[in-house]
Amino acid sequence: MTTVAILGGAGPQGRGLARRFAAAGVEVILGSRTAERALAAADELTEEVGGEITGADNGTAARVGDIVLVVVPWEGHAALLGSLAEELRGKLVVDCVNPLGFDKAGPYALPVLEGSAAEQARALLPESTVVAAFHHLSAVVLDDPDVDSIDADVLVLGDDDVAVDRVIDLAGMLPGVRGVFGGRLRNAQQVEALTANLIAINRRYRVHAGIRVTDV
Amino acid sequence: MTTVAILGGAGPQGRGLARRFAAAGVEVILGSRTAERALAAADELTEEVGGEITGADNGTAARVGDIVLVVVPWEGHAALLGSLAEELRGKLVVDCVNPLGFDKAGPYALPVLEGSAAEQARALLPESTVVAAFHHLSAVVLDDPDVDSIDADVLVLGDDDVAVDRVIDLAGMLPGVRGVFGGRLRNAQQVEALTANLIAINRRYRVHAGIRVTDV
């Protein structure tokens, strides 16, 4: 039985993923800066969804999870992962973070020294296996109990084929969602940054856009 | 009546676009380094498709076209556009170029000083209106007469709403294709670079992948 830890799990994206995984029968541990915050979010979700959701501080969640999703704001990404290298040793770490800025003209991609959030995670966690995924799912749609099926694919990027396949399977547990191999980790930047385009699309068309890969 | 010029129109992507636009009743002028090469490609296509396809050197094609698609290899992008600023003055220029490199591990995005091919075009063509589009359509699918309908959206990026809407309409003339606003030009880099991921997907799944935007 796989336990999925979600670091930053009390935020909207983390909550939404936790809700869906728990509903699919996956054991979920929400991580947050404080155990209190995580436990409050976990209790709230358990009441709504049922299933196996618990909460802890990010470090404990990282230690408990078999697969660890990183869903923290970009601003806290490097500091958090740098502090958890020990807890995340040997784990499958799924980076879901989009380094974006916002100004009057809307969203835009922030430059990342390592190339992408996922490659920064790999640099900070040399003894973990890093995969990038879950960038393009709308937090609003994920966290909306009235949405039965999510019309979107999840691009899964990584250099370890076994880890990639595990995350493709994990993505497929979200209702309506399909995991699709999306390339090696060095091609993660544009996948993360594309979220800026999806936000621009959302604003123009007043939708919650996702993407589907055709012909696969 | 709009004439579409396609610079680099004798290459596979350019040929494919020319075929589809001509079949949709659009007047097309293929541009190539030499008029001979362009005319040969145009003759070949006219025989296959019928419609209004002619050929010329890139400079003449740029002068004749109302909308000018740039479909040249990245290596020749800056030199060509730098030499055609005069011909392209006042025109709607649609940049379709993906700055990609290839090595043993496959495709990857090349860094571009200006941010993206489209922003390089804008810098080189200050008196043209630059829009970015048509990055993700498979040349093989475009140029295959047995494919009646192409299962893909075209992301259209730009800062001039009227120009963007013209290109959205143009994309919609390709059978099965839908043009979707994809953000401002400063968010073009990741759209261009995503082609590396699509190529990785093509290799893994042995397909000709495209993308669809959901909920729009």
Side-chain angles (χ1 to χ4, degrees), chain A residues 29-30 37 41 53 59 85-87 95 109 127-128 134 139 190 205:
Chain A
I29 180 163
L30 287 183
R37 199 166 128 79
I53 313 179
E86 184 57 39
E87 287 84 346
D95 203 290
E127 299 188 69
S128 307
F134 300 110
Q190 55 267 29
Y205 296 101

Side-chain angles (χ1 to χ4, degrees), chain A residues 100-176:
Chain A
L100 299 183
F102 292 85
D103 63 17
K104 275 190 296 184
Y108 59 97
L110 293 172
V112 178
L113 187 66
E114 295 83 354
S116 61
E119 287 162 290
Q120 183 184 80
R122 180 170 60 183
L124 292 167
L125 306 170
E127 299 188 69
S128 307
T129 302
V130 175
V131 166
F134 300 110
H135 306 90
H136 301 150
L137 297 179
S138 157
V140 174
V141 170
L142 279 172
D143 207 23
D144 183 346
D146 293 335
V147 174
D148 291 329
S149 180
I150 299 169
D151 186 10
D153 287 340
V154 165
L155 292 176
V156 180
L157 293 89
D159 299 331
D160 179 313
D161 289 342
V162 173
V164 164
D165 284 344
R166 281 185 79 186
V167 179
I168 286 175
D169 289 346
L170 186 67
M173 300 187 75
L174 302 172

Side-chain angles (χ1 to χ4, degrees), chain A residues 101-109 136 141 151-152 155 157 161 164-165 168 179-184 186-191 193-198 200-201 204-216, chain B residues 101-109 136 141 151-152 155 157 161 164-165 168 179-184 186-191 193-198 200-201 204-216:
Chain A
F102 292 85
D103 63 17
K104 275 190 296 184
Y108 59 97
H136 301 150
V141 170
D151 186 10
L155 292 176
L157 293 89
D161 289 342
V164 164
D165 284 344
I168 286 175
V180 176
F181 171 70
R184 298 301 176 193
R186 67 172 176 174
N187 281 314
Q189 182 273 330
Q190 55 267 29
V191 172
L194 192 71
T195 305
N197 303 80
L198 293 177
I201 292 168
R204 168 68 61 99
Y205 296 101
R206 301 179 184 278
V207 296
H208 300 294
I211 68 161
R212 288 284 194 190
V213 180
T214 59
D215 202 31
V216 170
Chain B
F102 292 86
D103 62 17
K104 276 190 296 184
Y108 58 97
H136 301 150
V141 170
D151 186 10
L155 292 176
L157 292 89
D161 290 342
V164 163
D165 284 344
I168 286 175
V180 176
F181 171 71
R184 298 301 176 194
R186 67 172 176 173
N187 281 313
Q189 181 273 331
Q190 55 266 29
V191 172
L194 193 71
T195 305
N197 303 80
L198 294 177
I201 292 169
R204 168 67 63 98
Y205 297 101
R206 301 178 183 280
V207 296
H208 300 295
I211 69 162
R212 288 284 193 191
V213 179
T214 59
D215 201 31
V216 170

Side-chain angles (χ1 to χ4, degrees), chain A residues 60-78:
Chain A
T60 303
R63 242 194 321 272
V64 171
D66 302 304
I67 302 180
V68 181
L69 272 58
V70 182
V71 199
V72 296
W74 167 240
E75 294 70 39
H77 185 261

